[in-house]
Amino acid sequence: YQNIKDDQGVQTELFFISQGLSNKKSNRKFKLIIPANNAFGTGSHASTFLSIICIEYLIKKKQYFNVCDVGTGSGILSFVLNKSTKLRINSIDNDYDIKNTFLKNLRINHLNNIRFINQNGLNSSLLRNKSYDLIVANILLKTHKNLIKQYYKKIKNNGEIVISGILIDQENEIISIFNKYNFKLKKKFYSFK
């Protein structure tokens, strides 16, 4: 009963995301059910929520054609990307144990056209000839630092990267690292919860 009571859901401009336990209604265009489990990403964590806000902001301004979610976890950002763009999404995670959780969430939300790729980063034979105009990565600073060269190689000209999972005291460090690869900061979203 407490879990049902606590499942109030998270709302953005386009999405209502819940664990699917309560009967709370929403008038948002898209709905997702992401049960709390062993994979990161239910929408209630600030870094996931801000990633969704950023995705919504970007898709209003530009059309994307090739999209990738690095560190997909539960799949929530891939699902948001798929529903809001109608594109095929490559969802990458190095944790093989979460694949079943990802696939279960895919079924719960009646989604397809999303491919889970179990690997560490973007250096896979499956992605050899792939490049992206949007890469989304909600992961920790250390992992971003390890992947920066891969981002650089896989991003198309005028492509964009949504990075999240960065603490405020890490902001200058990540900006400096990305600047070395000629990435320019366009917009920041913060949470002070």
Side-chain angles (χ1 to χ4, degrees):
Y1 291 113
Q2 188 63 42
N3 287 343
I4 293 169
K5 182 180 173 187
D6 291 345
D7 186 21
Q8 296 301 307
V10 175
Q11 294 192 109
T12 65
E13 184 178 341
L14 297 176
F15 285 88
F16 175 73
I17 303 162
S18 75
Q19 293 186 53
L21 300 174
S22 74
N23 293 326
K24 185 173 180 180
K25 303 292 182 205
S26 172
N27 62 352
R28 297 305 187 256
K29 182 176 182 179
F30 302 112
K31 293 170 182 51
L32 288 173
I33 295 173
I34 308 289
N37 53 43
N38 62 337
F40 182 78
T42 61
S44 60
H45 191 275
S47 63
T48 307
F49 179 77
L50 291 173
S51 295
I52 296 168
I53 298 296
C54 187
I55 290 166
E56 291 178 350
Y57 171 82
L58 289 172
I59 63 170
K60 286 182 199 173
K61 299 192 168 297
K62 183 176 177 181
Q63 185 175 7
Y64 299 95
F65 301 97
N66 298 304
V67 180
C68 179
D69 175 15
V70 179
T72 194
S74 69
I76 187 169
L77 297 180
S78 292
F79 303 165
V80 165
L81 288 161
N82 178 260
K83 280 187 168 270
S84 59
T85 67
K86 306 297 183 215
L87 294 173
R88 178 179 177 90
I89 309 298
N90 284 328
S91 305
I92 299 168
D93 205 294
N94 66 352
D95 185 350
Y96 190 80
D97 293 337
I98 64 135
K99 182 177 182 180
N100 288 335
T101 299
F102 176 92
L103 295 174
K104 180 181 175 188
N105 290 341
L106 201 65
R107 284 189 301 276
I108 288 170
N109 289 286
H110 309 288
L111 295 170
N112 54 34
N113 215 16
I114 301 173
R115 178 171 68 165
F116 181 89
I117 301 169
N118 181 235
Q119 69 179 35
N120 188 9
L122 297 160
N123 286 336
S124 163
S125 59
L126 294 171
L127 303 175
R128 182 174 294 123
N129 298 318
K130 293 280 187 190
S131 59
Y132 300 96
D133 45 14
L134 180 61
I135 296 173
V136 174
N138 180 16
I139 50 184
L140 300 175
L141 173 67
K142 181 179 177 184
T143 309
H144 282 301
K145 288 164 62 172
N146 292 336
L147 293 174
I148 185 73
K149 288 180 186 175
Q150 293 178 39
Y151 296 155
Y152 180 76
K153 289 178 183 177
K154 291 295 186 178
I155 199 77
K156 292 181 178 181
N157 285 339
N158 298 314
E160 296 172 312
I161 299 177
V162 173
I163 62 167
S164 190
I166 306 301
L167 301 174
I168 289 175
D169 64 348
Q170 299 170 330
E171 177 183 1
N172 290 335
E173 181 179 1
I174 195 73
I175 290 171
S176 174
I177 292 166
F178 271 72
N179 281 341
K180 289 177 186 174
Y181 286 86
N182 210 27
F183 289 113
K184 301 298 177 213
L185 178 64
K186 289 188 174 181
K187 187 148 180 76
K188 296 185 272 188
F189 295 88
Y190 289 100
S191 175
F192 295 102
K193 289 182 182 179

